[in-house]
C-alpha cells in the first residue's frame, strides 16, 4: 500500500491547548497557550505544512458559557492564521459547558467528525465525547474520565473505513490503545473492530498529557504531549511527514519528542 504520486504529506499537529484567560497555577499556565499557538503557527508556515489537525481541548474551564465561548473564538482565530485547512477533534474541555453545535460553529466545521483525503492519505477524525448512555457531552453533563463511542457511531466508522482501501490515519482526543481514565471505555472493542482493516496504519491521540507510542496489530498509536504546561516557556507541537504508510516521521518541537517509522523492503 503506497501513496499515489511523489509528493509528501505534511500535517501540523497540536493537542490540549487549554487556553483560558485565567491565572496560572502549579499545573497549567493557560494564558500562555496563546503565545504557544503563535509559535506553532509560525513553525507550520515555515515548514509549509499541507494541513493542520487539532486533537481537542482547545480551551480550559471558564466561569460561564460566555467566557468559554470567548476563549474558543480567540484560540481558533490564532490557529486560523496558519492559512491552511484545519480539522478539529473535540475534547472534553471543548464541550464541557459549551454544546457541540456551538463549538462547531466557532471552528467552522459542519460535524464533530471529519473525513478528508490529502496526497492520497485519508484523514478521519473521531468524535469521542459521548456519555455511556449515548448522550453528547455539553452543559456540564459529563465526567471527563468516562467517554464512549456509541455503538451506532462505531458501526458507521468501521463501515466507512471498509469502503475504501486508501491508507488511513485516525485522529481522536481520547486514547484508543489503553484502558484507563484517559481512554475510551470501549477502546478495546473499537480496536478489535478496526484490526482487520489494514489500511488504518496510524492513530494520533491526545488527552492523557503524556508522550507514548504503542503498537496494536501492526498499527502505530501515538499519544502526543499537551501544548499547555505550568511554565510559560513550555510548548509542544509537531509535524508529521508521510512518505508512505510504511515510512513517516514525527518531528517534535520543544517538549514533544520526535519519532520515526521506517520499513525497508
Amino acid at each position: 500500500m503506497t501513496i499515489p504520486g511523489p509528493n509528501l504529506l505534511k500535517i501540523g499537529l497540536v493537542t490540549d491547548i487549554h487556553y483560558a484567560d485565567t491565572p496560572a497555577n502549579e499545573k497549567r499556565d493557560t494564558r500562555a497557550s496563546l503565545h504557544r499557538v503563535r509559535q506553532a503557527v509560525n513553525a507550520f508556515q515555515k515548514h509549509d505544512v499541507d494541513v493542520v489537525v487539532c486533537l481537542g481541548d482547545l480551551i480550559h474551564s471558564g466561569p460561564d458559557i460566555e467566557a468559554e465561548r470567548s476563549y474558543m473564538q480567540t484560540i481558533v482565530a490564532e490557529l486560523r492564521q496558519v492559512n491552511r485547512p484545519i480539522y478539529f477533534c473535540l475534547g472534553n474541555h471543548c464541550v464541557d459547558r459549551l454544546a457541540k453545535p456551538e463549538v462547531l460553529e466557532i471552528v467552522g466545521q459542519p460535524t464533530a467528525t471529519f473525513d478528508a483525503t490529502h496526497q492520497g492519505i485519508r484523514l478521519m477524525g473521531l468524535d469521542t465525547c459521548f456519555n455511556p448512555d449515548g448522550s453528547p457531552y455539553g452543559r456540564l453533563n459529563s465526567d471527563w474520565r468516562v467517554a464512549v463511542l456509541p455503538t451506532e457511531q462505531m458501526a458507521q466508522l468501521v463501515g466507512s473505513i471498509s469502503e475504501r482501501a486508501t491508507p488511513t490515519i485516525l485522529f481522536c482526543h481520547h486514547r484508543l490503545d489503553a484502558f484507563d481514565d484517559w481512554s475510551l471505555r470501549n477502546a478495546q472493542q473499537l480496536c478489535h473492530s478496526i484490526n482487520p482493516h489494514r489500511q488504518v496504519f496510524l492513530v494520533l491521540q491526545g488527552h492523557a498529557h503524556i508522550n507514548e507510542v504503542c503498537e496494536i496489530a501492526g498499527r502505530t498509536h501515538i499519544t502526543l504531549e499537551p501544548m499547555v504546561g505550568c511554565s510559560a516557556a513550555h510548548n509542544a507541537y509537531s509535524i508529521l511527514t508521510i512518505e508512505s504508510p510504511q515510512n513517516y516521521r514525527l518531528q517534535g518541537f520543544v517538549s514533544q519528542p520526535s519519532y520515526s517509522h521506517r520499513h525497508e523492503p
Side-chain angles (χ1 to χ4, degrees), residues 212-226:
E212 196 162 282
V213 179
C214 177
E215 298 287 334
I216 297 178
R219 182 179 61 250
T220 304
H221 294 241
I222 302 177
T223 305
L224 297 173
E225 285 278 353

Side-chain angles (χ1 to χ4, degrees), residues 13 15 55 204-206 209-210 222-226 238 250 256:
L13 295 164
T15 191
L55 296 175
L204 292 163
Q205 50 203 13
H209 290 213
I210 61 172
I222 302 177
T223 305
L224 297 173
E225 285 278 353
S238 53
L250 183 81
Q256 173 61 52

Side-chain angles (χ1 to χ4, degrees), residues 46-216:
K46 177 182 177 180
H47 291 272
D48 195 23
V49 301
D50 299 290
V51 299
V52 173
V53 178
C54 178
L55 296 175
D57 279 0
L58 281 79
I59 62 170
H60 198 59
S61 303
D64 51 45
I65 291 173
E66 289 308 314
E68 293 196 3
R69 181 180 287 112
S70 175
Y71 301 162
M72 186 69 70
Q73 290 169 335
T74 298
I75 207 65
V76 169
E78 289 297 330
L79 285 166
R80 288 287 179 198
Q81 295 300 310
V82 76
N83 197 28
R84 300 290 191 278
I86 305 180
Y87 302 104
F88 295 90
C89 293
L90 301 186
N92 52 292
H93 275 281
C94 298
V95 286
D96 186 24
R97 279 186 170 86
L98 296 174
K100 289 184 183 181
E102 294 169 326
V103 176
L104 293 172
E105 181 179 7
I106 295 170
V107 303
Q109 191 167 285
T111 65
T113 60
F114 58 83
D115 186 349
T117 301
H118 294 267
Q119 309 288 67
I121 295 291
R122 189 179 188 186
L123 313 180
M124 299 186 72
L126 282 63
D127 177 11
T128 53
C129 291
F130 289 93
N131 294 303
D133 64 1
S135 61
Y137 281 18
R139 296 293 189 262
L140 300 177
N141 72 341
S142 62
D143 180 342
W144 70 268
R145 295 162 295 187
V146 181
V148 302
L149 187 65
T151 302
E152 181 179 355
Q153 279 84 350
M154 188 183 300
Q156 290 174 350
L157 171 67
V158 174
S160 182
I161 291 172
S162 66
E163 289 172 356
R164 292 166 56 185
T166 308
T168 300
I169 304 174
L170 298 184
F171 302 85
C172 53
H173 184 63
H174 295 84
R175 292 189 67 166
L176 304 185
D177 60 346
F179 311 102
D180 53 24
D181 287 345
W182 292 270
S183 305
L184 277 183
R185 287 295 184 226
N186 54 350
Q188 190 171 17
Q189 180 185 354
L190 177 57
C191 283
H192 180 75
S193 299
I194 293 172
N195 287 346
H197 304 287
R198 309 303 292 180
Q199 60 268 49
V200 180
F201 67 95
L202 179 60
V203 176
L204 292 163
Q205 50 203 13
H207 190 42
H209 290 213
I210 61 172
N211 172 74
E212 196 162 282
V213 179
C214 177
E215 298 287 334
I216 297 178

